[in-house]
Amino acid sequence: IQKLCDRVASSTLLDDRRDAVRALKSLSKASAWLPEEPCRFSKYRLEVGIQAMEHLIHVLQTDRSDSEIIGYALDTLYNVISNDLEEEEQEENSPKQVDDLGSQFTEIFIKQQENVTLLLTLVEEFDFHVRWPGVKLLTSLLKQQGPQVQQIILVSPMGVSRLMDLLADSREVIRNDGVLLLQQLTKSNAAIQKIVAFENAFERLLDIITEEGNSDGGIVVEDCLLLLQNLLKNNNSNQNFFKEGSYIQRMKPWFEVGDDNCGWSAQKVTNLHLMLQLVRVLVSPTNPPGATSSCQKAMFHCGLLQQLCTILMATGVPADILTETINTVSEVIRGCQMNQDYFASVNAPSNPPRPAIVVLLMSMVNERQPFVLRCAVLYCFQCFLYKNQKGQGEIVSTLLPSTIDATGNSVSAGQLLCGGLFSTDSLSNWCAAVALAHALQENATLKEQLLRVQLATSIGNPPVSLLQQCTNILSQGSKVQTRVGLLMLLCTWLSNCSIAVTHFLHNPANIPFLTGQIAENLGEEEQLVQGLCALLLGISIYYNDNSLENYRKEKLKQLIEKRIGRENFIEKLGFISKHELYSRAAQKPQPSFSSPDHMMFDHEFTKLVKELEGVISKAIYKSSEEDKKEEEVKKTLEQHDNIVTHYKKVIREQDQELEELKQQINTLKSQNEQLQATVTQQVSQIQQHKDQYNLLKVQLGKDTQHHNSYSDTFQMNGVQLEEVSKLKEELEEWKNKHELLQGQLREKDSLIEKLKSLQLEMGTEQSSQMSKSGGLEHNNEAQKELEMLRTQIQLQSAEISKLQTENQKLQVMSTTADPVLGDSGATAAKNSELEGRLVQEVKELKSEVKALSEEKASLKQHLDSSNSTVAILQDEKSKLQQEVAESKKEQDDLLVLLADQDQKLSALKNKLKDLGVPVEDEDDIESGDQADEDEDGDEEEQD
């Protein structure tokens, strides 16, 4: 090895150096040196690593022009650093622990960061003999010293982008090893995960999965799925990018299965298992609630949930795939009302069809089913009921007397739960009790309704309530698992439900049983039951409404003091939270137990214990007077909250009414603007008609002057008296027509004046509603406009009087005219021409007056409708003003009442402090409320 290293370092010929590196590669390789003696191999590998590594790195730096020697050097370094081959040798020959030489050599190699940067440059080479061994060497470095190598690559310019190009390599060997390299690169490094995702990794990986045949593909599909999990798990940014990129829709073809599901290969089972886990990564309860909800909706809309339900109900699916599918469907529907409603509508392909929930519950209470499958069904049922009051009501309704199927043809979910609750299998008892407790979770109405459930125990005996039957089985001394399940059900049922507590206390045997269980000194196995009995007794005290005289809060506390002792009671109560199985169950919602014996606590129940343990401990030490004062304070606070809620509701309704009225005002304002525009248009048209009329009047005056100039020269000699009389009659007739037109014109002018005054009044009223402060200025402007209109009307009247005067002059001229002199033929022609022009002009005036009257009628109709709208608005305004005045009065009363309440509260707090009771200040209360809200937020994020 020393000679070979000297040749590599000192030979001037490239061929000599290449041969020396090839020999070093052979020495570092297991297959070249006596596999039956692995100890000798380890020695050669160590020697090659110690003596040749520096020379090999030098070759990589100086001989880049020769791809063959570069390939040999990279292979040699890979053999030295990688532990894979030696681990295989050890597995085949002896179980002796392998020395971690690879980690030590990796540390030496990456000590100079330039070596990793050089390796990244070599990976960019397209030559197969350089790129492939470079990829393998970099992968081995990441396996040995992952975080350090990741940091070096992260700070290298375009380091991650260079490696992303491997996925686009047309040579499958390099592409597949590139996937393995990216797996190691993205482990536990969110920054690199984001860079890889934004380098279009999702698109490329999904394309590879599709090309390889989805779930029917080989090991390459498995590697791609593992890389996708690395990119998405616990990385909210990448999850959002995956959803926004519409990649969820591309997951649907993965889960298309045929009718014949027998004979699946081991690789297909592995691939489908990883695909289901990838779906769960996107909708995990530990993700932010908003991100989980959006992914759940996307999975429903693209048909992915429907496809998963098809696998759920299919036949021939392997058991482990069916179990993982149930878990996946559970988290896809958890807390999403739309998905929960769809799951409730899924039916199994049986005859007659049965709901999928019923079929799953049948598996859960069947003791012959695998344990992991029963746990998965329980988790699915819990997720279906999580934040789903509709689903809870449907489950409980199957237990109520009015909805039970009397024919017995079909089995309901409630009947299956009752059957499991009272079966001889303790695991079925526990699962059924927890499932029924989830049907009551945070739903006081259903807790009260479940009290109506009656069970027939045996023929001839009267039916007993479900609550009574649970306590009967509890007192019979069954298995620990059964009693723990029943006690968890009873604690959930009685918490925050005073009516259920009263029913429980109504049975005189329950309290003596609980006190007897708590007071006894039993073995370690029974300590858990004792703690739960103490919790149930504490709930019976804390939520007791003192409706039963023999079981009032004070008497129950005295009973604990005499038979158990307060300190002993608190100690037994603490057994629950100190138990190891309690800590495990509190970690995540999914029930995961190594064996059925460890199945003791439910995740949601651990939250209830955490909430009630402290308040029960405080309630045990409180005196009756303190309880009374606390209840008075609670009632006062409830009244205060009710009053505040009432006024908030009133203010909210008033805000809605104000918004509606504002919208109506805006609508009327727009209508008013339209009417004003119409009026302006009509005024302009009237002005045009006036101008035309004045023009016609001027033309008529010119004709009259021309006629007067000729009248002096008229001669009476040639004119007949009959023609003069006819001319007089025609002039009289035109005079009458002209007077009739003048009367119509005066009527129209008066109508215009009325409409304008109405329009001004309407505008004034609307503006006064819009703004009282500007009402006076608007009235002044309206008066000015009215004066202008009156002036215009007076001018119009003066014009009409002028026209009348001219007509009278024309009449006098026609009556006082002497016998016309001159040529009678010329006079007749002149008169006929004048007559024709008058007839034509009068016709035009008639048509214009007719059009004007139609326009005025339309305007009047618009103004009438506007006046009615204004009247309605005035009524609404007066009502609104009255309501606002009442609201102000109520708000003043509220302020006075709130001040009184604050004084009472401060007085009560001072009294409590004087009595030595710790009282939280308002700031502490607010911070506590904030902490509760934060805790709720955390729970929602877990959801």
Side-chain angles (χ1 to χ4, degrees):
I1 293 173
Q2 181 63 44
K3 290 180 180 180
L4 291 173
C5 291
D6 292 341
R7 287 177 61 188
V8 172
S10 60
S11 295
T12 56
L13 293 177
L14 180 61
D15 291 341
D16 291 342
R17 294 199 303 276
R18 186 189 304 121
D19 293 339
V21 174
R22 185 190 298 116
L24 288 172
K25 172 188 171 184
S26 300
L27 285 171
S28 65
K29 209 167 152 188
S31 59
W33 287 95
L34 300 175
E36 68 274 6
E37 297 183 18
C39 58
R40 289 184 60 190
F41 161 72
S42 297
K43 180 180 178 182
Y44 290 137
R45 174 191 174 195
L46 177 62
E47 292 296 329
V48 172
I50 292 173
Q51 299 183 38
M53 180 173 286
E54 184 178 352
H55 301 295
L56 293 173
I57 294 172
H58 184 70
V59 168
L60 295 179
Q61 294 171 345
T62 58
D63 292 330
R64 291 184 58 183
S65 59
D66 185 75
S67 61
E68 192 172 356
I69 191 173
I70 295 294
Y72 291 149
L74 291 171
D75 283 332
T76 307
L77 288 171
Y78 172 73
N79 293 337
V80 169
I81 289 174
S82 175
N83 286 329
D84 296 343
L85 296 175
E86 190 168 351
E87 287 171 359
E88 291 175 6
E89 289 286 336
Q90 288 295 331
E91 288 174 3
E92 292 174 4
N93 294 280
S94 69
K96 192 170 78 173
Q97 184 69 29
V98 181
D99 294 334
D100 192 11
L101 294 176
S103 179
Q104 298 176 23
F105 285 130
T106 301
E107 191 172 352
I108 295 171
F109 184 85
I110 67 174
K111 192 172 183 180
Q112 299 293 329
Q113 295 189 7
E114 295 80 4
N115 295 339
V116 179
T117 307
L118 175 63
L119 189 55
L120 290 173
T121 307
L122 293 174
V123 169
E124 279 190 294
E125 296 288 340
F126 185 75
D127 193 313
F128 180 81
H129 297 290
V130 176
R131 196 172 206 183
W132 187 38
V135 170
K136 291 195 296 181
L137 175 58
L138 192 54
T139 305
S140 182
L141 292 174
L142 285 164
K143 284 182 180 178
Q144 303 297 338
Q145 297 286 342
Q148 293 87 339
V149 179
Q150 284 175 340
Q151 192 61 32
I152 296 171
I153 294 175
L154 191 60
V155 299
S156 299
M158 300 294 291
V160 179
S161 300
R162 295 177 188 177
L163 301 179
M164 284 300 300
D165 293 338
L166 297 172
L167 296 181
D169 201 305
S170 58
R171 295 160 293 192
E172 290 189 2
V173 176
I174 295 179
R175 183 199 68 184
N176 298 343
D177 281 352
V179 173
L180 296 175
L181 169 60
L182 291 173
Q183 277 185 31
Q184 299 298 326
L185 181 65
T186 55
K187 276 186 178 179
S188 305
N189 194 309
I192 293 179
Q193 290 168 3
K194 291 179 183 179
I195 296 173
V196 171
F198 283 94
E199 287 285 345
N200 207 23
F202 293 139
E203 183 77 27
R204 296 182 184 182
L205 292 172
L206 292 174
D207 288 341
I208 294 173
I209 293 173
T210 304
E211 291 170 6
E212 295 292 328
N214 293 328
S215 60
D216 294 322
I219 189 71
V220 179
V221 173
E222 179 181 350
D223 293 336
C224 290
L225 291 170
L226 289 172
L227 177 54
L228 284 171
Q229 282 193 19
N230 284 355
L231 295 175
L232 292 173
K233 195 169 186 178
N234 299 324
N235 194 316
N236 299 328
S237 174
N238 283 2
Q239 289 174 7
N240 187 58
F241 181 66
F242 190 85
K243 178 186 70 69
E244 296 296 335
S246 301
Y247 296 119
I248 291 178
Q249 289 80 338
R250 296 188 60 178
M251 299 170 71
K252 181 185 175 185
W254 295 355
F255 305 102
E256 292 178 356
V257 297
D259 297 331
D260 185 13
N261 296 311
C262 299
W264 283 12
S265 65
Q267 186 62 56
K268 181 172 183 177
V269 172
T270 302
N271 290 344
L272 204 53
H273 199 272
L274 290 172
M275 289 172 176
L276 291 168
Q277 287 183 348
L278 192 62
V279 175
R280 293 184 66 184
V281 165
L282 294 171
V283 292
S284 172
T286 59
N287 294 342
T292 299
S293 177
S294 60
C295 289
Q296 288 173 332
K297 292 176 182 177
M299 289 177 184
F300 175 78
H301 290 304
C302 75
L304 180 58
L305 174 59
Q306 294 83 331
Q307 204 68 46
L308 293 173
C309 290
T310 302
I311 298 177
L312 199 65
M313 295 292 107
T315 56
V317 178
D320 53 347
I321 293 298
L322 181 61
T323 302
E324 189 64 21
T325 304
I326 295 173
N327 288 328
T328 305
V329 170
S330 304
E331 294 183 351
V332 173
I333 67 173
R334 188 175 190 269
C336 181
Q337 187 66 51
M338 178 172 59
N339 293 1
Q340 290 168 338
D341 291 342
Y342 170 77
F343 184 71
S345 66
V346 175
N347 288 323
S350 59
N351 192 15
R354 286 178 175 173
I357 298 174
V358 173
V359 175
L360 292 174
L361 288 177
M362 293 172 69
S363 301
M364 186 185 75
V365 298
N366 186 353
E367 56 185 310
R368 292 189 296 272
Q369 292 292 339
F371 172 65
V372 289
L373 179 64
R374 298 173 75 180
C375 290
V377 173
L378 176 61
Y379 184 46
C380 185
F381 191 73
Q382 292 173 349
C383 292
F384 170 68
L385 297 179
Y386 182 72
K387 292 185 178 179
N388 183 11
Q389 293 191 353
K390 179 182 177 183
Q392 289 176 323
E394 291 173 353
I395 297 298
V396 172
S397 66
T398 59
L399 286 167
L400 299 178
S402 59
T403 57
I404 294 177
D405 186 5
T407 60
N409 293 331
S410 61
V411 180
S412 67
Q415 291 171 337
L416 287 171
L417 291 177
C418 282
L421 197 61
F422 307 124
S423 71
T424 56
D425 178 30
S426 61
L427 185 59
S428 297
N429 301 152
W430 191 91
C431 291
V434 170
L436 197 55
H438 275 262
L440 304 176
Q441 200 78 34
E442 298 180 357
N443 198 324
T445 304
L446 295 182
K447 291 177 182 179
E448 296 177 8
Q449 290 187 4
L450 200 64
L451 296 171
R452 297 166 45 203
V453 176
Q454 300 289 322
L455 302 175
T457 54
S458 59
I459 300 175
N461 292 329
V464 297
S465 67
L466 177 61
L467 183 65
Q468 180 65 43
Q469 185 66 12
C470 290
T471 55
N472 290 343
I473 295 176
L474 196 61
S475 61
Q476 291 173 3
S478 51
K479 294 182 180 179
V480 173
Q481 192 175 41
T482 300
R483 284 183 287 162
V484 169
L486 290 172
L487 284 168
M488 286 196 298
L489 172 60
L490 290 173
C491 289
T492 305
W493 193 349
L494 268 60
S495 64
N496 204 21
C497 184
S498 301
I499 298 176
V501 171
T502 303
H503 278 72
F504 179 77
L505 296 176
H506 195 70
N507 186 351
N510 289 337
I511 296 300
F513 168 75
L514 292 178
T515 54
Q517 287 285 319
I518 300 168
E520 291 182 6
N521 292 321
L522 303 174
E524 186 176 351
E525 293 183 355
E526 295 292 330
Q527 286 184 352
L528 187 56
V529 176
Q530 286 184 316
L532 291 171
C533 288
L535 179 65
L536 183 58
L537 183 56
I539 290 173
S540 302
I541 294 173
Y542 186 73
Y543 293 105
N544 191 348
D545 60 357
N546 294 327
S547 57
L548 296 177
E549 184 62 31
N550 294 332
Y551 296 103
R552 297 174 65 85
K553 285 185 178 182
E554 191 60 33
K555 290 187 177 180
L556 291 176
K557 290 179 187 179
Q558 293 174 0
L559 186 66
I560 291 175
E561 180 68 25
K562 290 179 182 179
R563 297 190 179 182
I564 304 171
R566 292 181 181 178
E567 290 77 9
N568 191 24
F569 178 85
I570 298 301
E571 181 183 359
K572 297 293 177 67
L573 182 63
F575 284 164
I576 302 174
S577 57
K578 294 177 182 177
H579 202 280
E580 180 184 0
L581 298 177
Y582 174 89
S583 303
R584 290 184 187 176
Q587 292 175 359
K588 58 181 181 178
Q590 182 182 0
S592 56
F593 306 99
S594 56
S595 67
D597 295 336
H598 293 164
M599 213 168 183
M600 288 294 176
F601 284 109
D602 170 59
H603 178 74
E604 292 296 326
F605 181 74
T606 60
K607 295 181 182 178
L608 182 66
V609 173
K610 185 178 179 181
E611 177 186 348
L612 293 178
E613 186 176 7
V615 296
I616 289 175
S617 300
K618 291 180 181 179
I620 295 299
Y621 284 101
K622 285 181 181 177
S623 63
S624 58
E625 294 181 357
E626 291 174 344
D627 284 338
K628 289 180 181 179
K629 290 180 180 179
E630 185 179 355
E631 296 213 354
E632 289 178 359
V633 171
K634 282 184 179 179
K635 289 180 180 178
T636 305
L637 291 175
E638 286 179 0
Q639 292 176 356
H640 175 268
D641 292 339
N642 292 335
I643 293 171
V644 173
T645 305
H646 170 69
Y647 279 106
K648 283 182 179 179
K649 183 179 179 182
V650 171
I651 292 171
R652 193 160 42 247
E653 291 176 354
Q654 290 178 349
D655 289 340
Q656 292 177 355
E657 292 177 359
L658 283 172
E659 287 296 328
E660 292 176 357
L661 289 174
K662 285 180 180 178
Q663 291 178 359
Q664 292 179 3
I665 289 172
N666 291 332
T667 304
L668 292 173
K669 183 178 178 181
S670 61
Q671 292 178 356
N672 183 30
E673 290 175 354
Q674 293 177 359
L675 290 174
Q676 287 180 350
T678 305
V679 168
T680 304
Q681 184 180 2
Q682 296 291 337
V683 169
S684 63
Q685 291 179 357
I686 292 170
Q687 188 62 39
Q688 290 178 2
H689 290 306
K690 286 182 178 180
D691 295 340
Q692 293 176 0
Y693 178 75
N694 292 331
L695 182 61
L696 181 62
K697 181 185 67 176
V698 171
Q699 292 177 353
L700 185 60
K702 288 181 179 180
D703 292 338
T704 305
Q705 291 175 2
H706 183 67
H707 181 69
N708 290 334
S709 64
Y710 276 92
S711 63
D712 295 336
T713 59
F714 280 168
Q715 301 293 328
M716 188 64 188
N717 292 335
V719 179
Q720 307 245 344
L721 293 175
E722 292 179 355
E723 292 178 356
V724 174
S725 62
K726 286 181 180 180
L727 183 58
K728 288 181 179 181
E729 290 175 358
E730 289 176 358
L731 287 174
E732 188 67 28
E733 183 178 355
W734 286 118
K735 175 184 174 183
N736 294 333
K737 290 181 179 179
H738 189 64
E739 290 178 353
L740 180 61
L741 289 175
Q742 284 182 340
Q744 292 179 355
L745 186 59
R746 284 193 296 272
E747 291 176 0
K748 299 304 179 185
D749 290 337
S750 63
L751 182 59
I752 289 171
E753 184 179 356
K754 291 180 181 179
L755 291 176
K756 286 183 177 179
S757 62
L758 288 173
Q759 179 64 22
L760 288 171
E761 291 175 1
M762 181 192 71
T764 304
E765 291 174 353
Q766 288 184 345
S767 62
S768 63
Q769 292 176 0
M770 297 286 291
S771 171
K772 291 182 178 181
S773 62
L776 183 59
E777 295 178 0
H778 190 74
N779 288 333
N780 294 333
E781 293 177 359
Q783 289 178 359
K784 291 179 181 179
E785 291 179 1
L786 185 60
E787 290 296 332
M788 291 173 64
L789 288 173
R790 287 177 179 173
T791 306
Q792 292 177 1
I793 292 169
Q794 289 175 0
L795 294 174
Q796 187 180 8
S797 300
E799 291 177 358
I800 292 172
S801 61
K802 282 183 181 181
L803 184 60
Q804 290 175 350
T805 306
E806 292 176 357
N807 288 333
Q808 290 175 0
K809 289 180 180 179
L810 183 61
Q811 180 181 0
V812 171
M813 179 193 67
S814 61
T815 53
T816 57
D818 292 334
V820 182
L821 300 177
D823 188 5
S824 62
T827 304
K830 201 69 173 179
N831 290 334
S832 63
E833 182 182 356
L834 179 60
E835 181 182 352
R837 289 175 65 182
L838 283 172
V839 170
Q840 183 179 359
E841 289 173 355
V842 169
K843 286 182 179 179
E844 291 177 356
L845 279 174
K846 284 183 178 180
S847 62
E848 290 174 358
V849 169
K850 183 178 180 182
L852 185 60
S853 63
E854 291 176 353
E855 290 172 352
K856 288 180 179 178
S858 174
L859 181 59
K860 182 179 180 182
Q861 185 178 0
H862 282 301
L863 288 175
D864 291 339
S865 62
S866 177
N867 289 334
S868 62
T869 306
V870 169
I872 295 171
L873 185 59
Q874 285 179 339
D875 294 338
E876 292 178 350
K877 177 189 173 184
S878 60
K879 292 179 181 178
L880 180 61
Q881 289 176 343
Q882 185 177 358
E883 291 176 358
V884 169
E886 293 176 356
S887 175
K888 287 182 178 178
K889 184 178 179 182
E890 290 175 353
Q891 289 176 355
D892 294 336
D893 296 339
L894 174 60
L895 291 174
V896 174
L897 183 60
L898 289 175
D900 295 338
Q901 294 295 335
D902 290 336
Q903 293 177 356
K904 290 181 181 178
L905 284 174
S906 60
L908 290 173
K909 288 179 181 178
N910 292 331
K911 290 181 181 179
L912 290 174
K913 289 180 180 178
D914 296 336
L915 293 171
V917 177
V919 178
E920 295 179 344
D921 295 330
E922 291 182 358
D923 296 335
D924 296 335
I925 294 173
E926 290 177 358
S927 63
D929 293 340
Q930 183 63 34
D932 292 341
E933 291 177 0
D934 295 340
E935 183 178 355
D936 294 340
D938 294 339
E939 292 174 5
E940 290 179 357
E941 289 181 1
Q942 290 180 357
D943 297 340

